[in-house]
Amino acid sequence: MVAARDEQQWQPLIDYLHSELSPEHSMDSHQLDGYLRAIASAPVELPLSYYSELVFGESKVRFNNEGQRQDLMESLVAFSHFHQEQVRSGECELPFTIEYSAQKHDRIEVEQWARGYMQGYILAEKEWNELLALCPTSTSEQYQDSEEQIDDNLLALSTVADADFAFTEGRSEHEVAECFRSLPDTVRSLAELGLMLKAWMMEHKPELQARFVDTSCPVVVAPKLGRNDPCSCGSGRKYKKCCG
């Protein structure tokens, strides 16, 4: 069954990122969406502690209490799981209309998404390159031309991420518009390559995955508090008169 967007699951995180409490260089919702798609498409499993800090602009986030930290991390995990399911099912459901516009403000959501994707790709760029070098490209048709395909996909994504810069590099408006139009195909292609490399890695080089140890505090999905229950922050007050 294909994962569908259920934004209520990660709405607490989105609300926080767009609030005054969020650190200055935190991602916006579209940048985060692209970022998590790249994390899900990587040829290794990246643990929460490895990618969560960049969501908040590499700042140490101050939470009002443990309950708020828990809610935000639960939201981030749920958002990540959505993209993992999309990758496994070969889908690419994007949260906007994909269309190039000469007006920057009309294409900013797509550009932000692509910028987030590039940030996520960079987190595992070393492993992408290492696995491409290790895979038996000369003996298996499955792996032929993978590196060239990835380069083409990344060029298309970087074009979407900054169309104005692409023009300065000599790309035509038709070429840029085509990169926007084909964004879902580009993203699906990278996801397919990531899955292929991950399967090879787990069979032949599982020690690469061992590099990534999750050092984050565990995220425990707790039952929702009732309004009259004791507040989870430990104040001793009722939830409705404390953090609720």
Side-chain angles (χ1 to χ4, degrees), residues 66-131:
E66 176 59 21
Q68 185 188 49
R69 186 198 75 83
Q70 187 76 22
D71 285 346
L72 293 180
M73 291 302 105
E74 282 182 23
S75 295
L76 183 54
V77 169
F79 209 169
S80 298
H81 285 172
F82 163 75
H83 281 289
Q84 290 165 7
E85 288 299 318
Q86 286 268 302
V87 166
R88 282 192 285 267
S89 61
E91 296 295 318
C92 181
E93 182 185 343
L94 298 173
F96 40 67
T97 301
I98 309 160
E99 185 176 349
Y100 170 74
S101 171
Q103 303 299 319
K104 188 173 182 66
H105 62 81
D106 290 334
R107 63 176 193 264
I108 191 64
E109 291 181 349
V110 191
E111 287 194 346
Q112 284 293 93
W113 194 96
R115 288 170 188 163
Y117 191 103
M118 296 302 294
Q119 286 176 286
Y121 174 85
I122 288 169
L123 280 185
E125 185 175 18
K126 176 182 176 182
E127 285 67 37
W128 275 102
N129 293 336
E130 192 168 347
L131 285 166

Short mmCIF file of all heavy atoms in Angstrom, two decimals, residues 66-131:
data_model
loop_
_atom_site.label_atom_id
_atom_site.label_comp_id
_atom_site.label_asym_id
_atom_site.label_seq_id
_atom_site.Cartn_x
_atom_site.Cartn_y
_atom_site.Cartn_z
N GLU A 66 10.31 18.41 28.24
CA GLU A 66 10.54 17.13 27.59
C GLU A 66 9.36 16.73 26.70
O GLU A 66 9.55 16.11 25.64
CB GLU A 66 10.78 16.05 28.65
CG GLU A 66 10.93 14.63 28.10
CD GLU A 66 12.09 14.48 27.12
OE1 GLU A 66 13.02 15.32 27.15
OE2 GLU A 66 12.06 13.53 26.32
N GLY A 67 8.17 17.13 27.08
CA GLY A 67 7.00 16.82 26.27
C GLY A 67 7.08 17.45 24.89
O GLY A 67 6.73 16.83 23.89
N GLN A 68 7.54 18.71 24.83
CA GLN A 68 7.68 19.36 23.53
C GLN A 68 8.75 18.69 22.68
O GLN A 68 8.57 18.49 21.49
CB GLN A 68 8.02 20.85 23.70
CG GLN A 68 8.05 21.59 22.38
CD GLN A 68 8.57 23.01 22.52
OE1 GLN A 68 9.61 23.26 23.12
NE2 GLN A 68 7.82 23.96 21.95
N ARG A 69 9.88 18.35 23.30
CA ARG A 69 10.94 17.65 22.56
C ARG A 69 10.40 16.35 21.97
O ARG A 69 10.64 16.02 20.80
CB ARG A 69 12.13 17.33 23.47
CG ARG A 69 13.33 16.73 22.71
CD ARG A 69 14.30 16.03 23.64
NE ARG A 69 13.80 14.75 24.10
CZ ARG A 69 13.90 13.63 23.40
NH1 ARG A 69 14.49 13.62 22.21
NH2 ARG A 69 13.41 12.50 23.87
N GLN A 70 9.65 15.63 22.79
CA GLN A 70 9.09 14.36 22.36
C GLN A 70 8.15 14.56 21.18
O GLN A 70 8.21 13.82 20.19
CB GLN A 70 8.36 13.70 23.53
CG GLN A 70 7.87 12.30 23.26
CD GLN A 70 8.99 11.27 23.29
OE1 GLN A 70 10.03 11.51 23.88
NE2 GLN A 70 8.78 10.16 22.62
N ASP A 71 7.27 15.56 21.25
CA ASP A 71 6.31 15.81 20.17
C ASP A 71 7.02 16.15 18.86
O ASP A 71 6.64 15.66 17.79
CB ASP A 71 5.37 16.96 20.55
CG ASP A 71 4.32 16.55 21.56
OD1 ASP A 71 4.14 15.33 21.77
OD2 ASP A 71 3.68 17.45 22.15
N LEU A 72 8.05 16.99 18.94
CA LEU A 72 8.75 17.40 17.73
C LEU A 72 9.54 16.24 17.12
O LEU A 72 9.55 16.07 15.90
CB LEU A 72 9.70 18.57 18.03
CG LEU A 72 9.03 19.89 18.41
CD1 LEU A 72 10.08 20.96 18.69
CD2 LEU A 72 8.09 20.36 17.31
N MET A 73 10.17 15.44 17.95
CA MET A 73 10.92 14.30 17.42
C MET A 73 9.98 13.23 16.86
O MET A 73 10.28 12.60 15.85
CB MET A 73 11.83 13.71 18.50
CG MET A 73 12.98 14.61 18.91
SD MET A 73 14.09 15.07 17.54
CE MET A 73 13.59 16.79 17.27
N GLU A 74 8.84 13.03 17.51
CA GLU A 74 7.84 12.11 16.97
C GLU A 74 7.38 12.58 15.59
O GLU A 74 7.21 11.77 14.66
CB GLU A 74 6.64 12.00 17.90
CG GLU A 74 6.84 11.13 19.12
CD GLU A 74 5.59 11.04 19.97
OE1 GLU A 74 4.48 11.27 19.42
OE2 GLU A 74 5.69 10.75 21.17
N SER A 75 7.17 13.87 15.44
CA SER A 75 6.75 14.43 14.16
C SER A 75 7.82 14.22 13.10
O SER A 75 7.51 13.85 11.96
CB SER A 75 6.47 15.94 14.30
OG SER A 75 5.39 16.19 15.16
N LEU A 76 9.08 14.44 13.47
CA LEU A 76 10.18 14.27 12.53
C LEU A 76 10.30 12.80 12.10
O LEU A 76 10.50 12.49 10.92
CB LEU A 76 11.49 14.75 13.16
CG LEU A 76 12.74 14.71 12.27
CD1 LEU A 76 12.53 15.45 10.97
CD2 LEU A 76 13.93 15.29 13.04
N VAL A 77 10.16 11.88 13.04
CA VAL A 77 10.21 10.46 12.73
C VAL A 77 9.06 10.06 11.80
O VAL A 77 9.24 9.32 10.83
CB VAL A 77 10.20 9.61 14.02
CG1 VAL A 77 9.97 8.14 13.71
CG2 VAL A 77 11.50 9.80 14.79
N ALA A 78 7.86 10.57 12.07
CA ALA A 78 6.70 10.26 11.23
C ALA A 78 6.90 10.77 9.81
O ALA A 78 6.58 10.09 8.83
CB ALA A 78 5.43 10.85 11.84
N PHE A 79 7.43 11.98 9.69
CA PHE A 79 7.71 12.58 8.38
C PHE A 79 8.76 11.74 7.65
O PHE A 79 8.64 11.46 6.45
CB PHE A 79 8.21 14.00 8.57
CG PHE A 79 7.89 14.94 7.44
CD1 PHE A 79 8.10 16.31 7.60
CD2 PHE A 79 7.42 14.49 6.23
CE1 PHE A 79 7.83 17.20 6.58
CE2 PHE A 79 7.14 15.37 5.19
CZ PHE A 79 7.35 16.73 5.36
N SER A 80 9.78 11.30 8.35
CA SER A 80 10.82 10.45 7.75
C SER A 80 10.23 9.13 7.28
O SER A 80 10.56 8.65 6.18
CB SER A 80 11.94 10.19 8.77
OG SER A 80 12.57 11.38 9.16
N HIS A 81 9.37 8.53 8.08
CA HIS A 81 8.76 7.25 7.71
C HIS A 81 7.91 7.38 6.45
O HIS A 81 7.88 6.46 5.61
CB HIS A 81 7.91 6.72 8.86
CG HIS A 81 8.72 6.16 9.98
ND1 HIS A 81 8.17 5.78 11.19
CD2 HIS A 81 10.05 5.91 10.09
CE1 HIS A 81 9.12 5.33 11.98
NE2 HIS A 81 10.26 5.39 11.35
N PHE A 82 7.22 8.49 6.30
CA PHE A 82 6.44 8.73 5.08
C PHE A 82 7.34 8.65 3.85
O PHE A 82 7.03 7.98 2.86
CB PHE A 82 5.75 10.09 5.15
CG PHE A 82 5.27 10.58 3.81
CD1 PHE A 82 4.14 10.04 3.21
CD2 PHE A 82 5.96 11.58 3.14
CE1 PHE A 82 3.72 10.47 1.96
CE2 PHE A 82 5.54 12.03 1.89
CZ PHE A 82 4.41 11.48 1.30
N HIS A 83 8.48 9.33 3.92
CA HIS A 83 9.38 9.34 2.76
C HIS A 83 10.03 7.98 2.54
O HIS A 83 10.26 7.57 1.39
CB HIS A 83 10.43 10.43 2.91
CG HIS A 83 9.90 11.80 2.59
ND1 HIS A 83 9.59 12.18 1.31
CD2 HIS A 83 9.60 12.86 3.38
CE1 HIS A 83 9.12 13.42 1.30
NE2 HIS A 83 9.12 13.85 2.55
N GLN A 84 10.30 7.25 3.61
CA GLN A 84 10.85 5.90 3.46
C GLN A 84 9.86 5.00 2.72
O GLN A 84 10.25 4.21 1.85
CB GLN A 84 11.20 5.32 4.83
CG GLN A 84 12.39 5.99 5.49
CD GLN A 84 12.50 5.68 6.97
OE1 GLN A 84 11.76 4.85 7.51
NE2 GLN A 84 13.41 6.35 7.66
N GLU A 85 8.58 5.12 3.06
CA GLU A 85 7.56 4.31 2.40
C GLU A 85 7.40 4.73 0.94
O GLU A 85 7.20 3.88 0.06
CB GLU A 85 6.22 4.45 3.14
CG GLU A 85 6.18 3.73 4.47
CD GLU A 85 6.40 2.24 4.31
OE1 GLU A 85 5.84 1.64 3.38
OE2 GLU A 85 7.17 1.67 5.12
N GLN A 86 7.51 6.03 0.67
CA GLN A 86 7.44 6.51 -0.71
C GLN A 86 8.58 5.93 -1.54
O GLN A 86 8.39 5.50 -2.68
CB GLN A 86 7.50 8.04 -0.72
CG GLN A 86 6.23 8.73 -0.26
CD GLN A 86 5.29 9.04 -1.40
OE1 GLN A 86 5.64 9.74 -2.33
NE2 GLN A 86 4.08 8.48 -1.33
N VAL A 87 9.77 5.92 -0.97
CA VAL A 87 10.94 5.37 -1.67
C VAL A 87 10.73 3.88 -1.95
O VAL A 87 10.96 3.40 -3.08
CB VAL A 87 12.23 5.61 -0.85
CG1 VAL A 87 13.38 4.76 -1.39
CG2 VAL A 87 12.61 7.08 -0.88
N ARG A 88 10.31 3.13 -0.94
CA ARG A 88 10.14 1.68 -1.10
C ARG A 88 9.08 1.35 -2.14
O ARG A 88 9.17 0.33 -2.83
CB ARG A 88 9.80 1.03 0.24
CG ARG A 88 11.00 0.84 1.15
CD ARG A 88 10.67 -0.06 2.32
NE ARG A 88 9.87 0.61 3.32
CZ ARG A 88 10.36 1.25 4.38
NH1 ARG A 88 11.66 1.29 4.58
NH2 ARG A 88 9.56 1.83 5.25
N SER A 89 8.06 2.20 -2.26
CA SER A 89 6.97 1.93 -3.19
C SER A 89 7.19 2.55 -4.57
O SER A 89 6.36 2.39 -5.47
CB SER A 89 5.64 2.43 -2.62
OG SER A 89 5.69 3.83 -2.40
N GLY A 90 8.31 3.28 -4.73
CA GLY A 90 8.61 3.89 -6.03
C GLY A 90 7.75 5.09 -6.35
O GLY A 90 7.59 5.47 -7.52
N GLU A 91 7.22 5.74 -5.31
CA GLU A 91 6.35 6.90 -5.50
C GLU A 91 7.11 8.20 -5.25
O GLU A 91 8.17 8.22 -4.63
CB GLU A 91 5.15 6.82 -4.55
CG GLU A 91 4.24 5.64 -4.81
CD GLU A 91 3.56 5.72 -6.16
OE1 GLU A 91 3.12 6.83 -6.54
OE2 GLU A 91 3.48 4.68 -6.83
N CYS A 92 6.53 9.29 -5.74
CA CYS A 92 7.09 10.62 -5.45
C CYS A 92 5.94 11.62 -5.40
O CYS A 92 5.59 12.27 -6.39
CB CYS A 92 8.10 11.04 -6.51
SG CYS A 92 8.86 12.66 -6.19
N GLU A 93 5.33 11.71 -4.24
CA GLU A 93 4.21 12.63 -4.04
C GLU A 93 4.76 13.94 -3.49
O GLU A 93 5.24 13.98 -2.34
CB GLU A 93 3.20 12.03 -3.07
CG GLU A 93 1.99 12.91 -2.84
CD GLU A 93 1.05 12.34 -1.78
OE1 GLU A 93 1.16 11.14 -1.47
OE2 GLU A 93 0.22 13.12 -1.27
N LEU A 94 4.71 14.99 -4.28
CA LEU A 94 5.27 16.28 -3.89
C LEU A 94 4.17 17.21 -3.39
O LEU A 94 3.02 17.13 -3.84
CB LEU A 94 6.02 16.91 -5.06
CG LEU A 94 7.22 16.10 -5.57
CD1 LEU A 94 7.79 16.71 -6.83
CD2 LEU A 94 8.29 16.00 -4.50
N PRO A 95 4.51 18.13 -2.47
CA PRO A 95 3.48 18.96 -1.83
C PRO A 95 3.17 20.26 -2.57
O PRO A 95 2.74 21.23 -1.97
CB PRO A 95 4.11 19.25 -0.46
CG PRO A 95 5.58 19.32 -0.74
CD PRO A 95 5.83 18.30 -1.83
N PHE A 96 3.42 20.30 -3.88
CA PHE A 96 3.20 21.53 -4.64
C PHE A 96 3.01 21.19 -6.10
O PHE A 96 3.26 20.06 -6.55
CB PHE A 96 4.38 22.49 -4.49
CG PHE A 96 5.73 21.81 -4.52
CD1 PHE A 96 6.18 21.20 -5.67
CD2 PHE A 96 6.52 21.76 -3.39
CE1 PHE A 96 7.40 20.56 -5.72
CE2 PHE A 96 7.74 21.11 -3.41
CZ PHE A 96 8.19 20.51 -4.58
N THR A 97 2.58 22.16 -6.88
CA THR A 97 2.47 22.01 -8.33
C THR A 97 3.85 22.25 -8.94
O THR A 97 4.50 23.24 -8.64
CB THR A 97 1.47 23.03 -8.91
OG1 THR A 97 0.19 22.82 -8.30
CG2 THR A 97 1.35 22.87 -10.41
N ILE A 98 4.28 21.31 -9.77
CA ILE A 98 5.62 21.40 -10.35
C ILE A 98 5.53 22.10 -11.69
O ILE A 98 5.07 21.52 -12.68
CB ILE A 98 6.24 20.01 -10.52
CG1 ILE A 98 6.15 19.23 -9.23
CG2 ILE A 98 7.69 20.11 -10.99
CD1 ILE A 98 6.28 17.75 -9.41
N GLU A 99 5.94 23.34 -11.72
CA GLU A 99 5.90 24.09 -12.96
C GLU A 99 6.90 25.23 -12.87
O GLU A 99 6.96 25.95 -11.87
CB GLU A 99 4.48 24.65 -13.20
CG GLU A 99 4.32 25.35 -14.53
CD GLU A 99 2.89 25.81 -14.76
OE1 GLU A 99 2.00 25.40 -13.99
OE2 GLU A 99 2.67 26.58 -15.70
N TYR A 100 7.70 25.36 -13.91
CA TYR A 100 8.67 26.46 -13.92
C TYR A 100 7.95 27.78 -14.17
O TYR A 100 7.02 27.86 -14.97
CB TYR A 100 9.73 26.25 -15.01
CG TYR A 100 10.58 27.48 -15.21
CD1 TYR A 100 11.54 27.83 -14.26
CD2 TYR A 100 10.37 28.32 -16.29
CE1 TYR A 100 12.29 28.99 -14.40
CE2 TYR A 100 11.13 29.48 -16.45
CZ TYR A 100 12.08 29.80 -15.50
OH TYR A 100 12.82 30.96 -15.64
N SER A 101 8.38 28.82 -13.48
CA SER A 101 7.87 30.17 -13.70
C SER A 101 9.06 31.12 -13.76
O SER A 101 10.04 30.95 -13.03
CB SER A 101 6.94 30.59 -12.56
OG SER A 101 6.63 31.97 -12.67
N ALA A 102 8.97 32.10 -14.65
CA ALA A 102 10.03 33.11 -14.72
C ALA A 102 10.04 33.98 -13.48
O ALA A 102 11.05 34.63 -13.18
CB ALA A 102 9.84 33.96 -15.98
N GLN A 103 8.93 33.99 -12.75
CA GLN A 103 8.83 34.77 -11.51
C GLN A 103 9.32 33.91 -10.35
O GLN A 103 8.74 32.87 -10.05
CB GLN A 103 7.39 35.22 -11.27
CG GLN A 103 6.80 36.04 -12.40
CD GLN A 103 7.59 37.33 -12.64
OE1 GLN A 103 8.00 38.00 -11.69
NE2 GLN A 103 7.80 37.65 -13.91
N LYS A 104 10.38 34.37 -9.69
CA LYS A 104 10.99 33.57 -8.63
C LYS A 104 10.02 33.23 -7.51
O LYS A 104 10.03 32.11 -6.99
CB LYS A 104 12.22 34.30 -8.06
CG LYS A 104 13.04 33.45 -7.09
CD LYS A 104 14.32 34.15 -6.69
CE LYS A 104 15.14 33.29 -5.75
NZ LYS A 104 15.66 32.06 -6.40
N HIS A 105 9.17 34.18 -7.14
CA HIS A 105 8.26 33.93 -6.02
C HIS A 105 7.24 32.84 -6.35
O HIS A 105 6.67 32.21 -5.46
CB HIS A 105 7.54 35.22 -5.59
CG HIS A 105 6.68 35.84 -6.65
ND1 HIS A 105 5.40 35.40 -6.93
CD2 HIS A 105 6.92 36.86 -7.51
CE1 HIS A 105 4.89 36.13 -7.91
NE2 HIS A 105 5.78 37.02 -8.28
N ASP A 106 7.02 32.58 -7.65
CA ASP A 106 6.08 31.53 -8.05
C ASP A 106 6.72 30.14 -8.06
O ASP A 106 6.00 29.14 -8.15
CB ASP A 106 5.52 31.83 -9.44
CG ASP A 106 4.57 33.01 -9.43
OD1 ASP A 106 3.97 33.28 -8.37
OD2 ASP A 106 4.44 33.68 -10.47
N ARG A 107 8.04 30.09 -8.01
CA ARG A 107 8.72 28.79 -8.04
C ARG A 107 9.51 28.53 -6.76
O ARG A 107 10.21 27.52 -6.66
CB ARG A 107 9.66 28.70 -9.25
CG ARG A 107 10.80 29.69 -9.26
CD ARG A 107 11.75 29.45 -10.44
NE ARG A 107 12.99 30.18 -10.31
CZ ARG A 107 13.26 31.37 -10.85
NH1 ARG A 107 12.33 31.96 -11.60
NH2 ARG A 107 14.43 31.96 -10.66
N ILE A 108 9.38 29.41 -5.77
CA ILE A 108 10.23 29.32 -4.58
C ILE A 108 10.00 28.04 -3.80
O ILE A 108 10.94 27.47 -3.22
CB ILE A 108 10.03 30.57 -3.67
CG1 ILE A 108 11.10 30.60 -2.58
CG2 ILE A 108 8.63 30.60 -3.09
CD1 ILE A 108 12.50 30.75 -3.08
N GLU A 109 8.76 27.52 -3.76
CA GLU A 109 8.50 26.29 -3.01
C GLU A 109 9.27 25.11 -3.62
O GLU A 109 9.86 24.30 -2.89
CB GLU A 109 7.01 25.99 -2.99
CG GLU A 109 6.19 26.97 -2.17
CD GLU A 109 4.71 26.64 -2.16
OE1 GLU A 109 4.30 25.77 -2.97
OE2 GLU A 109 3.97 27.24 -1.36
N VAL A 110 9.27 25.03 -4.95
CA VAL A 110 9.98 23.95 -5.63
C VAL A 110 11.49 24.10 -5.42
O VAL A 110 12.19 23.12 -5.18
CB VAL A 110 9.64 23.92 -7.13
CG1 VAL A 110 10.17 22.65 -7.77
CG2 VAL A 110 8.15 24.05 -7.36
N GLU A 111 11.97 25.33 -5.53
CA GLU A 111 13.40 25.58 -5.34
C GLU A 111 13.83 25.19 -3.92
O GLU A 111 14.88 24.56 -3.73
CB GLU A 111 13.74 27.04 -5.62
CG GLU A 111 13.70 27.41 -7.09
CD GLU A 111 14.35 28.75 -7.39
OE1 GLU A 111 14.59 29.53 -6.44
OE2 GLU A 111 14.62 29.02 -8.57
N GLN A 112 13.05 25.56 -2.93
CA GLN A 112 13.39 25.22 -1.55
C GLN A 112 13.40 23.71 -1.35
O GLN A 112 14.26 23.17 -0.63
CB GLN A 112 12.39 25.88 -0.59
CG GLN A 112 12.62 27.37 -0.38
CD GLN A 112 13.93 27.62 0.36
OE1 GLN A 112 14.97 27.84 -0.25
NE2 GLN A 112 13.88 27.61 1.68
N TRP A 113 12.47 23.03 -1.97
CA TRP A 113 12.42 21.57 -1.86
C TRP A 113 13.71 20.96 -2.42
O TRP A 113 14.33 20.09 -1.80
CB TRP A 113 11.21 21.03 -2.62
CG TRP A 113 10.86 19.60 -2.31
CD1 TRP A 113 9.93 19.15 -1.40
CD2 TRP A 113 11.44 18.42 -2.90
NE1 TRP A 113 9.90 17.78 -1.39
CE2 TRP A 113 10.82 17.30 -2.29
CE3 TRP A 113 12.42 18.21 -3.86
CZ2 TRP A 113 11.13 15.99 -2.64
CZ3 TRP A 113 12.75 16.90 -4.20
CH2 TRP A 113 12.11 15.81 -3.59
N ALA A 114 14.11 21.43 -3.59
CA ALA A 114 15.31 20.90 -4.23
C ALA A 114 16.57 21.23 -3.42
O ALA A 114 17.50 20.42 -3.34
CB ALA A 114 15.43 21.43 -5.65
N ARG A 115 16.60 22.42 -2.81
CA ARG A 115 17.74 22.77 -1.96
C ARG A 115 17.82 21.83 -0.75
O ARG A 115 18.91 21.40 -0.36
CB ARG A 115 17.61 24.23 -1.50
CG ARG A 115 17.87 25.24 -2.60
CD ARG A 115 17.51 26.64 -2.18
NE ARG A 115 17.59 27.55 -3.32
CZ ARG A 115 17.04 28.75 -3.37
NH1 ARG A 115 16.35 29.19 -2.32
NH2 ARG A 115 17.17 29.51 -4.44
N GLY A 116 16.67 21.54 -0.17
CA GLY A 116 16.65 20.60 0.94
C GLY A 116 17.14 19.22 0.51
O GLY A 116 17.89 18.56 1.24
N TYR A 117 16.73 18.80 -0.69
CA TYR A 117 17.19 17.50 -1.18
C TYR A 117 18.71 17.48 -1.30
O TYR A 117 19.36 16.51 -0.88
CB TYR A 117 16.56 17.18 -2.53
CG TYR A 117 16.78 15.75 -2.96
CD1 TYR A 117 15.77 14.80 -2.85
CD2 TYR A 117 18.04 15.32 -3.43
CE1 TYR A 117 15.98 13.48 -3.21
CE2 TYR A 117 18.26 14.01 -3.77
CZ TYR A 117 17.24 13.09 -3.67
OH TYR A 117 17.47 11.78 -4.00
N MET A 118 19.28 18.53 -1.86
CA MET A 118 20.74 18.57 -2.03
C MET A 118 21.45 18.52 -0.68
O MET A 118 22.49 17.88 -0.53
CB MET A 118 21.14 19.81 -2.81
CG MET A 118 20.62 19.85 -4.25
SD MET A 118 21.13 18.45 -5.27
CE MET A 118 22.90 18.71 -5.38
N GLN A 119 20.87 19.18 0.33
CA GLN A 119 21.46 19.12 1.67
C GLN A 119 21.44 17.69 2.22
O GLN A 119 22.41 17.24 2.84
CB GLN A 119 20.70 20.05 2.62
CG GLN A 119 20.97 21.53 2.40
CD GLN A 119 20.12 22.39 3.31
OE1 GLN A 119 18.92 22.54 3.11
NE2 GLN A 119 20.74 22.97 4.31
N GLY A 120 20.34 17.00 1.99
CA GLY A 120 20.24 15.62 2.45
C GLY A 120 21.18 14.70 1.70
O GLY A 120 21.78 13.79 2.30
N TYR A 121 21.34 14.93 0.41
CA TYR A 121 22.26 14.11 -0.37
C TYR A 121 23.69 14.25 0.14
O TYR A 121 24.42 13.26 0.26
CB TYR A 121 22.19 14.50 -1.85
CG TYR A 121 23.22 13.77 -2.69
CD1 TYR A 121 22.96 12.50 -3.19
CD2 TYR A 121 24.46 14.35 -2.96
CE1 TYR A 121 23.91 11.82 -3.94
CE2 TYR A 121 25.42 13.68 -3.71
CZ TYR A 121 25.13 12.42 -4.20
OH TYR A 121 26.09 11.75 -4.92
N ILE A 122 24.07 15.46 0.46
CA ILE A 122 25.45 15.72 0.90
C ILE A 122 25.78 14.95 2.18
O ILE A 122 26.93 14.54 2.38
CB ILE A 122 25.66 17.24 1.09
CG1 ILE A 122 25.70 17.93 -0.29
CG2 ILE A 122 26.94 17.55 1.86
CD1 ILE A 122 25.63 19.44 -0.24
N LEU A 123 24.79 14.72 3.04
CA LEU A 123 25.04 13.99 4.29
C LEU A 123 25.60 12.59 4.03
O LEU A 123 26.39 12.07 4.82
CB LEU A 123 23.76 13.87 5.11
CG LEU A 123 23.35 15.07 5.95
CD1 LEU A 123 22.13 14.71 6.79
CD2 LEU A 123 24.47 15.56 6.85
N ALA A 124 25.18 11.98 2.93
CA ALA A 124 25.66 10.62 2.63
C ALA A 124 26.44 10.59 1.31
O ALA A 124 26.60 9.53 0.71
CB ALA A 124 24.49 9.65 2.56
N GLU A 125 26.95 11.75 0.89
CA GLU A 125 27.66 11.81 -0.39
C GLU A 125 28.87 10.87 -0.41
O GLU A 125 29.15 10.21 -1.41
CB GLU A 125 28.10 13.24 -0.68
CG GLU A 125 28.75 13.41 -2.04
CD GLU A 125 29.07 14.86 -2.36
OE1 GLU A 125 29.10 15.68 -1.41
OE2 GLU A 125 29.28 15.18 -3.53
N LYS A 126 29.59 10.80 0.70
CA LYS A 126 30.76 9.92 0.78
C LYS A 126 30.35 8.48 0.52
O LYS A 126 31.03 7.75 -0.22
CB LYS A 126 31.41 10.04 2.17
CG LYS A 126 32.58 9.10 2.38
CD LYS A 126 33.14 9.23 3.79
CE LYS A 126 34.25 8.22 4.04
NZ LYS A 126 34.78 8.31 5.43
N GLU A 127 29.24 8.05 1.11
CA GLU A 127 28.79 6.66 0.95
C GLU A 127 28.27 6.41 -0.46
O GLU A 127 28.47 5.32 -1.02
CB GLU A 127 27.74 6.32 2.01
CG GLU A 127 28.29 6.12 3.41
CD GLU A 127 28.85 7.39 4.03
OE1 GLU A 127 28.27 8.47 3.79
OE2 GLU A 127 29.86 7.31 4.76
N TRP A 128 27.57 7.39 -1.04
CA TRP A 128 27.15 7.27 -2.44
C TRP A 128 28.38 6.99 -3.32
O TRP A 128 28.39 6.05 -4.10
CB TRP A 128 26.48 8.56 -2.91
CG TRP A 128 25.02 8.71 -2.62
CD1 TRP A 128 24.45 9.46 -1.63
CD2 TRP A 128 23.92 8.13 -3.34
NE1 TRP A 128 23.07 9.38 -1.70
CE2 TRP A 128 22.72 8.57 -2.74
CE3 TRP A 128 23.84 7.28 -4.44
CZ2 TRP A 128 21.46 8.20 -3.20
CZ3 TRP A 128 22.58 6.90 -4.91
CH2 TRP A 128 21.41 7.35 -4.28
N ASN A 129 29.40 7.84 -3.17
CA ASN A 129 30.58 7.72 -4.02
C ASN A 129 31.33 6.41 -3.76
O ASN A 129 31.82 5.76 -4.69
CB ASN A 129 31.51 8.91 -3.80
CG ASN A 129 30.91 10.22 -4.29
OD1 ASN A 129 30.04 10.22 -5.17
ND2 ASN A 129 31.35 11.33 -3.73
N GLU A 130 31.43 6.05 -2.50
CA GLU A 130 32.16 4.84 -2.14
C GLU A 130 31.48 3.60 -2.70
O GLU A 130 32.13 2.70 -3.24
CB GLU A 130 32.29 4.75 -0.62
CG GLU A 130 33.26 3.71 -0.13
CD GLU A 130 33.57 3.85 1.35
OE1 GLU A 130 33.22 4.90 1.95
OE2 GLU A 130 34.16 2.91 1.90
N LEU A 131 30.17 3.54 -2.58
CA LEU A 131 29.44 2.38 -3.07
C LEU A 131 29.44 2.31 -4.59
O LEU A 131 29.51 1.22 -5.17
CB LEU A 131 28.03 2.37 -2.52
CG LEU A 131 27.92 1.96 -1.05
CD1 LEU A 131 26.56 2.29 -0.46
CD2 LEU A 131 28.21 0.47 -0.89
#
